Amino acid sequence: MPKQSAPRELAGIAPKLVEITDEVLFADVWERPSLPPRDRSLVTVSVLAALYRSEQLPYHLGVALDNGLSVEELSEAITHLAFYAGWPNAMTAISLLKKIADERAA
């Protein structure tokens, strides 16, 4: 998987936020060996969907696919979350997953 990083266009307005995102979140937390990237992606997608963070979710759905999760596994996780995190959250997440899956299939 390519190394993750914060969007470069944000460095002009929030250089420290970009720096700590890259150095702490992506270079440290995401690289810790006790939880594989595939599992970290499943956790991340689940939390973003549950909290209705639809701006960050598309990026992390793509990362999850790159980290070895299948569309079917992500769909199942989102379906499961509907009962715990709310139907609207799940419907938004599944719509975003469909869009990304369709784009990758094209």
Side-chain angles (χ1 to χ4, degrees):
M1 179 186 109
K3 185 178 184 301
Q4 296 183 75
S5 64
R8 298 296 93 190
E9 65 271 12
L10 298 179
I13 191 166
K16 189 62 177 180
L17 180 60
V18 169
E19 177 188 329
I20 60 176
T21 298
D22 290 348
E23 293 178 9
V24 177
L25 177 60
F26 292 133
D28 182 14
V29 174
W30 268 87
E31 298 299 321
R32 294 172 56 83
S34 297
L35 196 63
R38 182 184 187 284
D39 295 348
R40 289 186 190 280
S41 282
L42 185 58
V43 170
T44 301
V45 165
S46 297
V47 169
L48 291 173
L51 295 176
Y52 204 73
R53 302 300 193 254
S54 56
E55 188 173 309
Q56 295 292 312
L57 191 52
Y59 171 77
H60 283 286
L61 285 166
V63 170
L65 292 168
D66 293 342
N67 280 337
L69 285 156
S70 68
V71 171
E72 293 77 17
E73 289 170 320
L74 290 167
S75 175
E76 189 64 29
I78 292 167
T79 299
H80 187 79
L81 283 170
F83 293 92
Y84 296 95
W87 213 263
N89 294 9
M91 293 304 287
T92 296
I94 206 68
S95 296
L96 292 169
L97 177 59
K98 181 182 182 327
K99 181 178 185 235
I100 291 166
D102 289 349
E103 288 170 357
R104 287 185 176 219

